[in-house]
Each structure stands twice: as structure tokens, then as C-alpha cells.
């Protein structure tokens, strides 16, 4: 479309007389539509600029702009259209300049509406940012005072209410953070339109001080709502703005303004304001800004709850600082001194500058003492401590910002030194060396050590690294044994090699250095018996080495040849001495050899003709799965997708592929599947070009085509009945790869990796040669047999192939016989749905779903039932056209069968249920409904389908109520014991028998499977029903889901119901209907009321059954930008869990505290909620430790489970194979910095326990052991603790020392380990 517009614009410029008004209107409408698309906005703007001088185009644009402004008062879309237009087009901005007053009037009316707040803030920002001159005229009035031009802020009109609305947005805590950030940016832009630098600085100062006052909350009532507080802020800010005029005197050009830093400046308003200042180009006008902003940002990062925004400020500060340093470097020092642009902005200022006369002297002083010159300075020490504590911050994106800040710190110091050396003297600094010493104290089990060494490598040099850390090579190799450390260790290794190459005089010297230090460790890693270490070395270290040093390939192959006792030609000039020769076992040698060949081929060091056939054949026949997998990858995977298969590769694959299809190792099978996929793509891409103009298969591609044909037929033969699972699974995977590579599937199923169109000719030529009959009758018959397999995974794979790539019905031209066969196949499926075996029911439902989707929905066949008793008495015949009614009739017939069964079961449940179960038919309905809702294009407007959905919901509810009929308890779903007792009572047996008969077992399976499949059917409807129908059935579905989740205790049912509820609640929370959107809120409210109502819980449930799952499902479904439900839920659960348990409660009552603790455990275990729940970890830890002393066993049990989850969430899983005092990368300083309240609590508990222990009592607080277990899992301190924490550390250490005399050995052991983690933090106690 854009190309057509460009052509039309060119024609208009060349022949304007050929365009009439109608054609011009179409062109303008299309251009204005394209300008809103971000992807093509720039090119559209170029077209608009080329038409600037065409009068008719400009008149039509002005007419459209006028139309937009006329509807802006009533239509929100007009405001959005204005925003899109001015954002991408400078041409359209000129047309809107005369309408700014009208836009301001519209903003004044709508700023109190929260749903439109983001758009209003965005438009306000655009007004101040894109129209600064016009907004200056509107905001400021020019006056004359003492013969000087002065300006007065206009307090009337529409500007002040807009600014007030922006202030309201910044302080409204219930609005999203993005809107609040944009509002702060708009306020700074409002300050930017001030007439002179002095006034601008005063505006900055007032904004900063004002946000500081209001963030303290000292002048507002804490009981006020967010709206009331924001309204009070706005009223006060109007008074502040009016006071600007009073101080706007003749010294308005004075730029001597500095930010006053206070510890109270840590709220989000200051975060937003600093963010706006840092991206503001006029920040240079602020004296001492970088020094003041740096202190403020450190305060924010230390104490703010907005971790991501806080550390993003730190990165922005470094970027702004680096920009100033680069400008100073580019201009030169003497030019910088005389630059008016840099006036009042010393680069690295230590003192305030109050006049231009002292500017040069102050700059000299600041350059002689750079801001980051010494690692021992207070600012740098505080910054490094902050970065170290948050290096592995759990909030998304924060860790990356911390890493970037560390790298920018190193670069800033280097630029400061270069700038200072040019001006004063060339002084050496120990900054990087001191940082390296700090890093060397870190344990090798933390990622921070490798990542910081990688950042420092380019500044300290590799020689210092290798000299200061003699175990560096071995520790890098050891890190490959951990997935947590492998990537960061590999990145350090790659950086180390790059620095080595840059430091060496030439490449040969660099290779010698690598060979001296890294050859032996690298070969040890790629030949290691540790599978994970060998895999990571092959994946990371070896490619990094060969990319930096290509000559290393010859050195590695030479070393392996010598280790094998074979001298190569590459080694003739420089043989390895016997004492330096690498000694490897045969298995190790094969590991290393295959790894080098595999990586070498991927990096194009060798081709298929250069492969060592002997080594490959030995590896392919080896009993080690890793070696064989690497050998297959070496044969199949190449960087060039069009590389043809050599005879050696084809021969080796034919010899070994069939012997490796029944391997029990799942990673090996996955690797084999991936390798064969690449191989098949090579065959396809290399053959397409050869057959482009051929009428038969060329001789050069015939071997590869024959290999694919052999592979396909061999896979079909491997699907014989009774074969092992591994062989059949591998065969189906390979058949799927063949189909996906050579046969085109429907576009909706394949979005990536589509088959090239020219592949069809290749397939036709192969068919003409008697090969590649992928979809013939033999293959179809084999797959039909596999569809009856008892393994679900095998059935589903075969069904996918049969459904996607085979014709339906087979050989449609054969008429009667074909449909008779399909009829028998459908009858077989329906009969299997009525089986008492769940596997048979799943097979029958799968067959029904395939025929329904491929024959009935497309209208190829019509089905009818006879009046017989059997469900399988059906007739299937050809149909002339697509009919929705036949699709619905099929499901209705299945529904009637379920209704009939439920009526019979109600009267004769014990006799009928085992022989005619209903869950198979419900499963068939579920699969057919899913296909119907997905495949029919006119599903949203069909009333019959809507009626069908409603009836199916009623059917599911009726089937679920079957359980209550059995147990005669409608308020609670039964357990297995309840069902057994109910069946015994109905059968006249004595209750309490410990044995379950086969008939009872069938009954219980029938009941549970019926409920499970019914809930799955409800989930399918809830997930796929059109949005127009959702509001009418949402309450009914929600009630049914809640009943099952909160009352059922069967794991299979809970899992199925929770999955359905998760997808359903996500749709509800994103609904446009407010009533529908509030359903999850109402459910949570009922849950919390039920938890606190003891009478609502009828019996003791194991781990609160599905109640925690319901809470987590709703909270996880909440959109990311809204976490109001989570905040409210955590507050109420923590409050309930901390309540004192009631006295004299019976054993048949669920305590509210138990439900609350179990719900908290489920919330903290959920990975999707992890970033938002970290702020509650300290309260939950204290709560769980207190729960250990509860007299109720259920509370103690729940508290124990919650504590285990919290420890794993805080510190990660413990490595049992490498059990050591250091079990995590988090130190006590980092833990207490994140959770200061937890530090106070732990110190108090330890002191109390030590006092009891010192008095000689044998009993201790029940929470002592978990508390010590938490402390013992921390990492050792590597830096001296700050003065703020030193007193707490001393008290904690004294308390732990007292526990060393405890009579309990385990307490003494954990106390000693806990002291070890604190030791380095107290050098005096060490």
C-alpha cells in the first residue's frame, strides 16, 4: 500500500492536472491512515514532505485536521488520532499549531477520568515537547520591570489546570507507573518552556522540593484515599506555582541552582522527576546536578520499593555522565572552559560553583580528584556495596541494570582518567586492581565473580588475572558443571580470549599464550566424564576458542592425535614433548574428538569430505549415548543448508540409524530427531536447485532421495504392534519430520519454516521414480493400527500425522466402499467410548474427533443414528455441501446418550455404572466441541450453537452432581473413603472394611473420571467460546469451577479444573464488561470469607485441597500491569495467618490459619507471581518461624512447608552433591539489605534463644532450628559491613557464639556454620 501511495504522490507532482479532488481526497486519507502505523510512519512522513507545496493536498489535510478538532470535545478517538498524527509527522504538527488552546480545554475536562489518564498525560507531554514556542507564549506573559524584560506565569486559562492534572497523576498511587513517569516528564517539559535558564532552574527546584515534602506524608492523613491525597497535592501545588512570579526578579538569568538531597527523597515522585531530568537536554543548566543526582539515586536504590525504576535511574545517570565526558573529550579542556554551553556544569564537581570567575579553578580541582578515582571513596564504596547486594536481584530486569551500571562505572573511571591526564598529570590509579581484589574474595560458586571479572578483564589485563588467580582455569572448567554458572563462566572465557588477542603483539603470540594456559583445561573439559561439563564445554568454550583463534583447531587436533599415538602432518614441525603429552582414555579421546569435529564443521573448518571416518564409525557404534549423539550431529548438522550428503555420510547413517531407534535415553532421542531434521532440510534444499529444470531425478540427487525413502519405510516398519515404546516414538517423530520437511501443511498450522513451493516438483519426480509414497495406502493402514495403541503419546502423534497429511476420506473417488469403511471406523470409535477402560475411551474419542473434524464439519459426510440400543449403530454417507446443523446434530446425539445414561445411573448407579460409563462419551463431546469452535467461521452468529453450548454446560453440571447423589452430601465433594463407605451402605455391607472390591474400584474410577472429563469440557467451553457469549455464561462456569476446586480432594480432578480455571479467569480479567471483569474479585472475596468462617468448612482437608490452587489461579491470571488482587490477597492472608488460634477447637475443623499458610505457600511457589511477592518474603518468613511454636499440629505442619518454599525462593535449591557451608550466592548483607525487618527479627530470636541456652535449659524455641538453617545456607561475607549494620552483626554473632555450647549437636553445628557466613563481615571477630 505504501508503495502505491509513493507512486501516486510522484504522479501528482509530475502531472497535477491529472488529479481531481476525489483522487486527492483518497490519497490524503490513505496517507493519514498510514502515518498512524509506527512501522511505516517515517516513509509516510517523507511522502507528506514531498507534497508540502501542493496546495490541494494541504487544503485537504487542513480540512481533516479541522474535522478532528470539531469532534474532539465529544470523541475520545479524536484525541487519540491527534496524538498519533503529531507523534510521527512534523508536517501535521504545523496544521495543529493554531488549535492548542482547544486541546488544552479538552484536557482540562477529562483529567479526572482514570481510564483516559494515560492518553491525557501523553498528549500533555506532546504539547510541551513538540510545541515549545507556542506553549511558552501561552504559559508566560511578558512584562516590563525597571526597564528590563520580565515574564510572569499565567495563572489563569487552561495551562494551570493541566499542570495540576499532571501533578495529580504523579501522586496517584492507584495509577500505572508508566503514566506517572510520563506525567513527570511532562512537568519537566513544562519547566523547559520557561523564558530563561534562571526561571527554569527555579521550576526544577520547586518541583524537587515539592515532591520531597509530599512524599514524606507528614502533612497528609494516612487514612485518606489516593484521590483525596492527590487532590490535596494539586491544591498546594497551585499555590506554589503562583509563588514563582514573586521571586522572578531581575536575576532570573542566574543559573546557580543545586538539588538539596535528603533521605526523604526516595518516593516514586522523585524517581519519576529524576528520570525526567536525566533524559532532559537542559540538565546542563543545573549546577552540581550530577553530584547531587548521584546521591539521590543511591538513596532511592537503597530504600525504594521500585527496584527496576530505581536502577534504571542509575543507568540513565551513567549515560548522562558519559555524554558529558565525551563532549569534554571531543572539545578539549581549554575549549570546554570557554564554552558557554558547559557553563555552570563542572564535569566531576566536588564543590559548588557560584560564579563564572571561580569556574576554571573549580574544574581543575574536580579533575584532579575524579569522582570515581578511588574505590575507597565514600560514594564509590557505597555504590559498589549497592551493586554487590543487588547483583542477582530477583525482579525481572534489575540484575541486567546492575550489571550494566558496573560496566559503566569502569568506563566512567577510564574516561575521567584520560581527561584528567590531559589537563594535569598522568597519574596511575589502583582503582581496577582494588576492584579485582574485592572480586577475588568472592567464592567461585557465585555468578557475580565471573561476570565482574569479565567486565574488569579489559581494564586490568589478562596477565594480572592469571597471576592473581592461579586456579582460574580449573575454576572456569568446574563452573561448566553447573547450569547456573556455565554461561557466565563462558562469557568470561570469551572476553579473556579477546583481551589476550588485543594485548598480544600479533596473533601467533596470542595463540601461544592460549596454548600455554588453556589447552589442557579445554581438552579436559570436552573429554570430561561429567556429561553436563562436557556438553557446556562443547557448546560454549570450544566455539569461543575457535572464533577468536582459528589456528587453535589445528593445535587441538594435533594434541588429540598425539594423545592417540598418531602423528599428523600438522604436527610435523612442532611435536609435543612426551612429558607434555595429554593422556586420555579411549572414551575421553572419543568425547574430545567428536566434539572438535562437530564444532569444526559447524564453523566451516572442515566439510563432509574431511571427516575422520574411522573415528566417526567407532563413535556411532559406541555404547555411550553422548558420544553417539555427538557423532550423529557431526554427520547431519552443517552451517550450509544446501550442502549435499556425501557417500560416506549416507553409508554411516544407513549402518547405524536403525540400531539407535530404541534407545531409552530421552535426550539422545531428542538430539537424534533434531539432527535428522537438519539432514532432511539439507536433502530438500540441495535437491531443489538440481531438479528445477529437470523432468526426472538427476543422478547426483538420487542417493539422497533414496535414503529418505529408505528412512520413511524403515520408520513404518518400526511401528509394528508389540514394539517397544522408544522405537515407535522415535519412528513417529522421524515420520513427522519427513512430512513437515517435504509436504506442505495448512497455513494456520505452520507459521514458521514453511515448505518451499518448489518442493512439490521434487516430490512428484520422486513419486515418478517409485519412491516417496508418503501418503499411500500402506502408510495409512499402518497409522490406523497405531491409532489403537494403548499409549496416549503414540496415539496422538499418529493422529496428528493421519489428520494433517492424509486425504479425508481416503481415495474420495471410490464412493460407497470408502464411506462404508469410514462408517465402520466411526462405529468402532463410538463403541470404544462406552468401554469401561479409560484407554479405550480415549481411543474412541480420538477417532470420533478425527472423523468429525475432517468429514462432518467440512460437510463431506452426514451422520445418522438408528433406533437401536447401541451407540455405535450409525450410518455415514456423503453430503453435498457444508452444513452447520449436521455438526451440531452429531454433538446433540452424543449428549442424548449421556442424558440417558445419567438417568439410568441415578436409579441404578451400582449396577449400571461399571458396565456403561459415561466419561468416554463426555470426552468425545469435549474434543468435538473444541474442533467446532475452532474451525467454523460463522460460529459467532449461530443461535443453534449458542443453545448447544448452554445445554452442554447443564449436562456437565448434572454429571458432576452424580457424586453428591452417591455420598448423600451436597456441600462437600467426597474423598475415596467417603465413596467407599457410601457404596458399602447401599450394598448392605458393614462400613469400615479395609478392602475394596473390583466392582467398587470400577465405580470410584467411573465417578472420578466423569467429574474430570466434565470439568475439562467446561474448560474447553470457557477457553474457546466467543466473547459475545462469555458474559451470559461466565457466572455459571465460575460457580462450577469454584465448587470443584474448593471441595474436591482428588488430584487428577484438581489439575484438570485448575487448568480450565486459569484460562477462564484470564479471559474474565481482560473482558471489556465490568461485571464480567469483577467475577474473579468476587470469588476471592468469598474465599477469604469462607476461610475465616469455621462453620463453612465441613471436614479436615489435606493441604487445604484445591483452595490454594484457586487463589493462585486467580492471582496469576491478573494482567501484569495490574496487581491489585495480589496486594489485597497478600494483606488478608498474612493477617489471617498471624491470628491467634481459637481454644478448644475440635479435630474436625479446618483452622483459618492453616488455609492461609497453605495459600501463601502456593503463592510463593508460583513462578509467575515471584517478582511481585518478593516484598512480602520477610513477613512470611517471620510468620512461618512463629508457626513452629503453635500448639496446633496442622499449623506447625503448614508453617514447615511454607518455610521450605520461602528458603528455596530466597536462596535457591541446595546442591546436595556438593554440600558445603556455602549453599547459596546470597550473603547476609544482601539478605538484610533487601529485608531490614527480617534482620531485626532474626537478631531478636537468636538473642532470646541464646539467653535460654545460657541459663542451662534444655528446651528451646521451636523456631530455632529453621532460623539457624536459614543462616547456615547463606554465602560467606566478602566485604566489611557498613556502620549501619555493624552493631546488628555484633549482636547476632554474640548470640550465635552462645549457641555453640548448646547440648544439642545439630544446633551447635548449624550455629557454627552460621558464624562462618558472618565471619568476613567482622574482621575483628575473625
Amino acid at each position: 500500500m505504501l508503495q502505491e501511495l509513493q507512486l501516486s504522490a510522484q504522479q501528482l507532482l509530475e502531472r497535477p492536472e491529472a488529479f481531481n479532488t476525489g483522487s486527492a481526497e483518497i490519497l490524503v486519507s490513505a496517507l493519514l491512515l498510514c502515518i498512524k502505523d509506527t512501522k511505516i510512519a517515517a516513509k509516510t512522513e517523507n511522502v507528506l514532505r514531498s507534497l508540502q507545496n501542493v496546495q490541494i493536498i494541504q487544503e485537504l489535510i487542513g480540512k481533516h485536521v479541522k474535522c478532528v478538532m470539531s469532534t474532539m470535545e465529544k470523541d475520545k478517538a479524536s484525541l487519540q488520532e491527534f496524538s498519533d498524527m503529531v507523534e510521527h509527522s512534523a508536517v501535521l504538527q504545523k496544521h495543529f499549531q493554531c488549535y492548542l488552546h482547544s486541546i488544552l480545554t479538552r484536557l482540562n475536562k477529562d483529567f479526572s477520568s482514570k481510564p483516559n489518564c494515560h492518553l491525557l498525560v501523553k498528549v500533555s507531554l506532546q504539547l510541551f515537547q513538540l510545541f515549545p514556542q507556542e506553549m511558552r507564549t501561552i504559559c508566560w506573559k511578558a512584562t516590563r520591570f525597571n526597564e528590563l524584560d520580565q515574564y510572569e506565569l499565567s495563572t489563569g486559562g487552561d495551562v494551570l489546570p493541566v499542570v495540576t492534572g499532571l501533578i495529580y497523576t504523579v501522586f496517584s498511587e492507584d495509577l500505572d507507573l508508566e503514566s506517572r513517569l510520563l506525567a513527570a516528564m511532562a512537568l519537566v517539559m513544562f519547566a523547559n518552556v520557561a523564558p530563561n535558564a534562571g526561571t527554569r532552574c527555579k521550576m526544577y527546584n520547586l518541583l524537587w522540593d515539592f515532591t520531597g515534602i509530599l512524599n514524606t506524608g507528614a502533612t497528609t492523613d494516612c487514612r485518606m484515599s489516593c484521590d483525596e491525597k492527590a487532590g490535596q497535592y494539586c491544591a498546594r501545588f497551585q499555590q506554589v506555582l503562583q509563588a514563582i512570579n514573586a521571586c522572578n526578579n531581575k536575576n532570573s538569568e542566574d543559573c546557580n541552582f543545586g538539588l538539596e538531597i535528603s533521605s526523604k527523597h526516595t518516593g516514586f515522585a522523585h524517581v519519576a522527576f529524576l528520570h525526567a531530568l536525566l533524559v532532559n537536554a537542559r540538565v546542563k543548566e543545573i549546577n552540581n546536578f550530577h553530584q547531587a543526582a548521584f546521591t539521590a539515586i543511591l538513596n532511592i536504590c537503597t530504600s525504594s520499593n521500585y527496584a527496576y525504576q530505581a536502577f534504571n535511574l542509575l543507568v540513565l545517570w551513567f549515560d548522562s555522565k558519559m555524554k558529558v565526558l565525551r563532549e569534554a573529550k571531543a572539545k578539549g579542556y581549554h575549549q570546554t572552559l570557554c564554552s558557554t554551553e558547559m557553563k555552570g556544569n563542572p564535569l566531576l564537581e566536588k564543590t559548588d560553583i557560584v560564579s563564572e570567575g571561580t569556574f576554571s579553578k573549580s574544574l581543575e580541582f574536580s579533575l584532579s580528584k575524579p569522582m570515581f578515582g578511588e574505590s575507597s571513596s565514600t560514594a564509590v564504596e557505597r555504590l559498589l556495596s549497592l551493586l554487590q547486594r543487588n547483583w542477582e536481584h530477583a525482579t525481572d530486569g534489575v540484575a541486567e541494570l546492575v550489571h550494566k551500571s558496573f560496566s559503566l562505572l569502569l568506563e566512567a573511571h577510564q574516561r575521567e582518567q584520560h581527561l584528567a591526564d590531559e589537563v594535569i598529570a598522568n597519574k596511575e590509579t589502583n582503582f581496577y586492581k582494588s576492584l579485582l581484589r574485592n572480586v577475588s574474595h568472592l567464592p567461585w560458586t557465585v555468578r557475580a565473580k565471573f561476570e565482574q571479572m569479565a567486565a574488569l578483564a579489559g581494564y586490568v589485563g589478562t596477565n594480572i588475572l592469571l597471576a592473581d588467580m592461579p586456579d582460574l582455569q580449573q575454576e572456569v572448567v568446574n563452573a561448566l558443571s553447573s547450569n547456573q554458572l556455565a554461561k557466565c563462566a563462558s562469557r568470561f572465557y570469551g572476553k579473556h580470549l579477546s583481551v589476550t588477542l588485543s594485548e598480544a603483539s600479533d596473533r601467533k603470540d596470542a595463540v601461544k599464550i592460549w596454548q600455554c594456559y588453556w589447552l589442557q583445561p579445554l581438552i579436559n573439559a570436552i573429554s570430561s566424564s561429567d556429561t553436563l561439563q562436557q556438553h557446556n564445554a562443547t557448546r560454549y568454550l570450544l566455539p569461543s576458542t575457535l572464533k577468536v583463534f582459528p589456528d587453535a583447531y589445528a593445535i587441538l587436533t594435533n594434541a588429540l592425535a598425539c594423545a592417540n599415538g598418531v602423528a599428523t602432518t600438522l604436527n610435523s614441525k612442532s611435536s609435543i614433548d612426551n612429558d607434555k603429552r595429554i593422556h586420555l582414555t579411549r572414551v575421553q579421546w572419543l568425547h574430545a574428538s567428536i566434539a572438535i569435529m562437530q564444532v569444526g564443521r559447524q564453523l566451516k573448518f572442515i566439510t563432509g569430505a574431511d571427516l575422520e571416518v574411522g573415528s566417526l564409525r567407532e563413535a556411532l557404534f559406541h555404547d555411550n549415548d553422548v558420544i553417539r549423539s555427538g557423532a550423529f550431529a557431526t554427520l547431519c548438522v552443517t552451517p550450509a543448508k544446501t550442502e549435499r550428503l556425501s557417500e560416506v555420510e549416507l553409508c554411516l547413517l544407513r549402518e547405524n540409524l536403525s540400531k539407535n531407534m530404541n534407545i531409552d535415553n530421552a535426550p539422545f532421542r531428542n538430539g537424534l530427531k533434531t539432527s535428522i531434521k537438519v539432514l532432511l532440510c539439507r536433502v530438500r534444499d540441495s535437491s531443489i536447485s538440481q531438479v528445477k529444470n529437470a523432468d526426472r531425478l538427476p543422478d547426483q540427487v538420487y542417493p539422497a532421495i533414496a535414503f529418505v525413502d529408505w528412512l520413511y519405510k524403515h520408520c513404518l516398519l518400526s511401528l509394528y504392534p508389540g514394539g517397544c515404546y522408544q522405537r515407535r516414538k522415535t519412528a513417529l517423530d522421524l515420520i513427522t519430520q519427513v512430512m513437515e520437511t517435504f509436504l506442505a501443511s495448512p497455513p494456520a498450522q505452520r507459521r514458521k519454516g514453511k515448505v518451499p513451493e518448489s518442493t512439490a516438483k521434487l516430490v512428484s519426480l520422486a513419486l515418478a521414480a517409485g519412491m516417496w509414497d508418503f501418503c499411500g495406502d500402506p502408510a495409512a493402514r499402518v497409522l490406523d493400527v497405531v491409532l489403537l495403541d494403548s499409549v496416549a503419546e503414540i496415539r496422538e502423534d499418529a493422529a496428528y500425522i493421519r489428520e494433517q497429511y492424509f486425504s479425508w476420506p481416503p481415495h474420495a473417488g471410490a464412493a460407497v466402499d470408502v464411506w462404508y469403511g469410514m462408517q465402520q471406523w466411526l462405529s468402532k470409535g463410538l463403541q470404544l467410548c462406552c468401554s469401561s477402560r479409560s484407554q479405550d475411551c480415549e481411543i474412541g474419542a480420538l477417532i470420533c474427533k478425527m472423523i468429525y473434524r475432517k468429514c462432518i464439519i467440512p460437510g463431506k459426510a452426514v451422520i445418522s443414528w438408528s433406533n437401536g440400543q447401541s451407540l455405535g449403530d450409525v450410518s455415514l454417507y456423503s453430503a453435498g455441501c457444508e452444513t452447520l446443523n449436521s455438526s451440531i446434530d452429531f454433538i446433540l446425539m452424543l449428549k442424548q446418550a449421556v442424558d440417558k445414561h445419567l438417568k439410568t445411573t441415578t436409579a441404578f448407579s451400582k449396577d449400571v455404572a461399571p458396565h456403561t460409563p459415561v466419561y468416554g462419551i463426555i470426552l468425545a463431546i469435549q474434543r468435538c466441541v473444541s474442533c467446532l469452535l475452532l474451525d467454523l467461521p460463522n460460529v459467532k452468529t449461530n443461535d443453534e450453537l449458542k443453545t448447544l453450548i448452554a445445554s452442554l454446560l447443564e449436562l456437565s453440571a448434572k454429571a458432576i452432581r452424580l457424586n453428591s447423589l452417591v455420598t448423600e452430601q451436597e456441600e462437600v465433594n467426597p474423598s475415596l473413603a467417603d465413596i467407599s463407605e457410601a457404596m458399602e451402605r447401599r450394598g448392605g455391607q458393614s462400613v469400615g472394611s479395609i478392602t475394596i472390591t473390583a466392582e467398587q474400584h470400577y465405580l470410584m474410577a467411573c465417578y472420578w473420571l466423569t467429574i474430570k472429563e466434565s470439568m475439562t469440557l467446561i474448560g474447553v467451553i470457557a477457553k474457546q467460546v466467543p466473547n459475545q457469549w462469555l458474559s451470559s455464561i461466565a457466572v455459571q462456569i465460575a460457580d462450577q469451577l469454584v465448587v470443584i476446586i474448593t471441595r474436591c480432594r482428588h488430584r487428577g480432578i484438581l489439575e484438570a479444573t485448575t487448568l480450565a480455571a486459569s484460562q477462564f479467569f484470564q479471559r474474565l480479567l481482560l473482558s471489556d464488561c465490568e461485571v464480567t471483569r469483577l467475577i474473579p474479585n468476587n470469588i476471592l472475596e468469598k474465599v477469604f470469607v469462607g476461610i475465616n468462617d469455621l462453620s463453612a468448612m465441613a471436614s479436615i482437608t489435606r493441604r487445604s485441597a484445591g483452595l490454594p490452587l484457586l487463589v493462585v489461579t486467580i492471582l496469576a491470571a491478573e494482567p501484569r500491569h495490574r496487581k491489585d488482587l495480589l496486594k489485597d490477597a497478600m494483606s488478608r492472608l498474612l493477617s489471617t495467618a498471624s491470628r491467634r488460634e481459637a481454644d478448644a477447637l475440635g479435630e474436625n475443623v479446618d483452622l483459618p490459619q492453616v488455609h492461609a499458610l497453605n495459600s501463601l505457600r502456593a503463592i510463593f511457589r508460583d513462578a509467575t507471581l515471584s517478582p511481585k511477592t518478593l516484598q512480602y518474603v520477610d513477613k512470611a518468613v517471620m510468620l512461618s518461624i512463629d508457626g513452629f511454636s503453635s500448639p496446633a499440629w496442622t499449623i506447625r505442619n503448614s508453617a514447615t512447608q511454607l518455610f521450605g518454599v520461602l528458603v528455596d525462593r530466597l536462596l535457591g535449591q541446595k546442591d546436595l552433591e556438593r554440600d558445603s557451608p556455602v549453599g547459596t550466592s546470597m550473603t547476609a548483607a544482601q539478605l538484610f539489605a533487601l529485608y531490614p525487618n527480617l534482620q531485626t527479627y532474626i537478631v531478636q530470636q537468636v538473642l532470646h534463644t541464646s539467653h535460654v541456652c545460657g541459663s542451662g535449659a534444655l528446651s528451646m524455641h521451636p523456631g530455632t532450628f529453621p532460623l539457624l538453617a536459614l543462616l547456615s545456607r547463606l554465602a560467606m561475607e566478602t566485604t566489611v559491613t557498613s556502620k549501619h549494620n555493624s552493631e546488628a552483626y555484633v549482636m547476632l554473632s554474640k548470640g550465635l557464639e552462645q549457641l555453640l555450647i548448646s547440648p544439642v549437636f545439630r544446633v551447635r553445628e548449624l550455629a557454627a556454620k552460621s558464624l562462618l557466613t558472618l565471619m568476613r563481615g567482622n574482621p575483628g571477630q575473625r
Side-chain angles (χ1 to χ4, degrees), residues 337-589:
L337 290 179
C338 303
S339 172
T340 57
E341 183 181 1
M342 302 296 294
K343 178 182 176 182
N345 180 38
L347 304 179
L348 305 168
E349 186 161 12
K350 291 291 184 182
T351 58
D352 291 337
I353 299 174
V354 295
S355 65
E356 186 177 357
T358 60
F359 180 76
S360 301
K361 183 177 180 181
S362 299
L363 182 58
E364 273 188 34
F365 175 74
S366 65
L367 291 174
S368 65
K369 290 186 177 182
M371 186 173 179
F372 302 116
E374 298 292 339
S375 62
S376 59
S377 65
T378 304
V380 176
E381 180 184 355
R382 188 179 174 192
L383 174 61
L384 290 174
S385 177
L386 177 68
L387 297 179
Q388 194 68 40
R389 291 196 307 268
N390 295 277
W391 193 267
E392 297 184 19
H393 202 287
T395 304
D396 290 342
V398 174
E400 289 76 9
L401 294 174
V402 172
H403 303 170
K404 187 175 182 180
S405 300
F406 185 78
S407 300
L408 290 172
L409 168 64
L410 303 181
E411 186 180 356
H413 168 72
Q414 186 183 53
R415 290 186 178 274
E416 282 186 336
Q417 288 302 115
H418 290 172
L419 189 61
D421 290 344
E422 288 185 9
V423 179
I424 302 171
N426 187 14
K427 301 179 180 179
E428 289 193 16
T429 178
N430 293 324
F431 180 72
Y432 298 124
K433 294 181 180 179
S434 61
L435 287 180
L436 183 61
R437 283 195 298 270
N438 293 338
V439 173
S440 64
H441 294 313
L442 293 172
W444 290 102
T445 56
V446 298
R447 288 179 294 185
K449 183 157 190 169
F450 293 101
E451 290 165 347
Q452 292 178 16
M453 285 194 304
L456 286 167
Y459 300 97
V460 299
T462 57
N463 293 332
I464 295 178
L465 277 174
L466 294 170
D468 292 352
M469 301 179 182
D471 298 332
L472 177 62
Q473 301 94 310
Q474 187 59 43
E475 294 297 342
V476 170
V477 173
N478 293 340
L480 300 176
S481 299
S482 170
N483 284 327
Q484 181 185 11
L485 302 175
K487 288 186 178 180
C488 56
S490 303
R491 284 194 293 266
F492 162 73
Y493 176 75
K495 180 69 174 181
H496 180 85
L497 296 186
S498 301
V499 174
T500 301
L501 181 60
S502 63
E503 290 178 345
S505 56
D506 56 14
R507 184 175 292 273
K508 290 184 178 179
D509 292 340
V511 172
K512 289 180 180 179
I513 295 174
W514 168 83
Q515 185 177 2
C516 177
Y517 288 100
W518 292 101
L519 176 60
Q520 179 73 51
L522 179 59
I523 292 181
N524 291 341
I526 61 177
S527 62
S528 173
S529 58
D530 187 337
T531 303
L532 184 59
Q533 185 181 98
Q534 191 271 339
H535 171 76
N536 287 329
T538 305
R539 183 180 180 185
Y540 298 119
L541 294 195
L542 196 53
S544 300
T545 303
L546 297 181
K547 288 177 182 178
V548 178
F549 300 130
D551 297 338
Y553 183 81
I555 297 175
L556 287 167
T557 55
N558 185 23
L560 287 182
C562 293
N564 195 31
V566 179
T568 64
T569 56
L570 294 172
N571 193 35
S572 58
K573 294 183 179 180
S574 58
S575 62
I576 298 179
D577 298 335
N578 290 331
D579 56 343
K580 296 182 179 180
R581 181 171 296 177
I582 300 173
H583 300 282
L584 301 174
T585 65
R586 193 60 184 175
V587 174
Q588 291 176 332
W589 186 87

Side-chain angles (χ1 to χ4, degrees), residues 25 107 316 458 701 881 911 933:
E25 287 180 352
L107 294 179
L316 290 175
V701 303
C881 61
D911 298 328
L933 294 177

Side-chain angles (χ1 to χ4, degrees), residues 1168-1235:
T1168 59
L1169 297 175
S1170 175
K1172 300 295 183 181
T1173 56
L1174 287 175
Q1175 56 183 312
Y1176 305 102
V1177 167
D1178 54 344
K1179 298 179 181 178
V1181 170
M1182 294 184 284
L1183 187 65
S1184 61
I1185 293 178
D1186 290 338
F1188 281 85
S1189 59
S1190 173
W1193 177 86
T1194 53
I1195 294 181
R1196 297 197 303 272
N1197 181 46
S1198 300
T1200 303
Q1201 297 177 22
L1202 174 60
F1203 182 78
V1205 170
L1206 292 172
V1207 171
D1208 290 342
R1209 177 62 63 193
L1210 275 174
L1211 310 179
Q1213 297 285 343
K1214 188 174 182 180
D1215 190 354
L1216 299 178
E1217 295 182 359
R1218 298 177 177 86
D1219 192 11
S1220 64
V1222 181
T1224 180
S1225 59
M1226 178 178 285
T1227 64
Q1230 294 171 334
L1231 178 65
F1232 296 151
L1234 291 174
Y1235 308 108

Side-chain angles (χ1 to χ4, degrees), residues 984-1039:
E984 289 175 356
R985 284 194 297 268
R986 291 200 172 191
Q989 303 176 13
S990 60
V991 178
S993 176
I994 62 175
T995 61
I996 298 179
T997 64
E999 188 176 21
Q1000 290 175 341
H1001 178 76
Y1002 275 119
L1003 273 174
M1004 285 189 288
C1006 175
Y1007 294 138
W1008 288 127
L1009 288 172
T1010 300
I1011 296 177
K1012 178 182 176 182
E1013 300 305 338
S1014 299
M1015 291 309 305
T1016 307
L1017 175 58
I1018 293 176
V1020 169
I1021 295 174
K1023 177 183 178 182
Q1024 300 179 359
V1025 72
N1027 291 328
Q1028 297 91 321
W1029 304 348
L1030 183 61
S1031 57
S1032 60
I1033 61 176
V1035 176
Q1036 181 182 358
I1037 295 176
D1039 291 342

